[in-house]
Amino acid sequence: MSDYKNPKDSKVISIDQVFANDLNNYDTLFGGVLMKRIDNVASLAARRHARVKECVTASIDSIDFLHPITQAESVCIEAFVTSTGKRSMEVFCKVITEDLVTEDRKVAATAFLTFVALDEETKRPIAVPGIVPETEEEKYLYESNAQRTAMRRERREHSKELTTNISIEKPWDI
């Protein structure tokens, strides 16, 4: 396995249509349906980068919904590894919609997810190749990773503190 790869080596593109059963009461795509699709495509990008059978989602920074998605639009999710740690990979996803009649295209959502590659036998985290960005978009995402990593650490510490201060008791008698 090479020590470094380009983001294009991990790129996964998924294009799908929106069906009536994917819509909420506002006739737009359910956020949860899009979240599942994003996680799936991002997982494939992480597995493609690490060349392993299993990668697990370690965190999702956020999914920013920027434009509602309707049944008249196709949904294109593009995902690729933007940066790596020793055993983790940051995957960027952008969701682009296209009105199938007018050809109008919009960025509907963006997301950053972190994945960990697992050893097939031990199921323990393993080292992953680094990243060498090439395009302006890849360089921007790579260089801005330090800020996102710091926010992830802070959020993780807050989550650990939170778990020591919240109840795990059943909220009602079952």
Side-chain angles (χ1 to χ4, degrees):
M1 169 173 24
S2 171
D3 288 345
Y4 291 92
K5 293 184 176 181
N6 298 325
K8 69 181 176 193
D9 297 329
S10 65
K11 189 173 284 187
V12 174
I13 298 171
S14 172
I15 302 173
D16 211 346
Q17 58 186 328
V18 178
F19 292 104
N21 63 332
D22 295 328
L23 302 176
N24 60 29
N25 54 319
Y26 299 105
D27 286 331
T28 59
L29 184 67
F30 269 113
V33 170
L34 184 60
M35 290 167 64
K36 179 181 178 181
R37 290 180 184 178
I38 287 171
D39 190 42
N40 184 54
V41 175
S43 173
L44 290 171
R47 289 176 58 197
R48 181 175 274 175
H49 179 79
R51 290 296 169 191
V52 294
K53 286 190 176 183
E54 288 185 70
C55 282
V56 293
T57 310
S59 71
I60 300 174
D61 289 2
S62 66
I63 298 176
D64 295 314
F65 299 100
L66 307 170
H67 166 72
I69 301 170
T70 68
Q71 194 171 1
E73 298 169 310
S74 66
V75 179
C76 175
I77 302 173
E78 181 180 327
F80 55 92
V81 175
T82 57
S83 186
T84 61
K86 290 181 183 179
R87 294 179 178 85
S88 65
M89 297 162 278
E90 178 189 75
V91 177
F92 174 66
C93 291
K94 60 182 169 182
V95 178
I96 300 170
T97 61
E98 179 181 343
D99 185 298
L100 296 171
V101 175
T102 67
E103 297 183 49
D104 184 33
R105 294 172 56 86
K106 295 180 183 170
V107 176
T110 60
F112 287 95
L113 299 86
T114 303
F115 287 85
V116 175
L118 300 180
D119 178 81
E120 189 174 348
E121 292 179 23
T122 67
K123 306 299 183 201
R124 303 286 302 156
I126 59 171
V128 296
I131 283 289
V132 178
E134 294 179 310
T135 69
E136 290 305 312
E137 178 182 51
E138 293 166 358
K139 289 175 184 175
Y140 172 79
L141 294 168
Y142 180 82
E143 291 164 3
S144 59
N145 173 263
Q147 181 181 9
R148 291 187 300 277
T149 299
M151 288 188 300
R152 279 183 209 113
R153 277 194 194 105
E154 186 176 321
R155 191 181 70 236
R156 191 169 39 249
E157 288 305 314
H158 175 72
S159 291
K160 287 179 183 177
E161 179 185 331
L162 179 65
T163 61
T164 65
N165 291 291
I166 58 176
S167 170
I168 57 171
E169 301 300 318
K170 292 180 182 176
W172 60 85
D173 290 331
I174 296 180

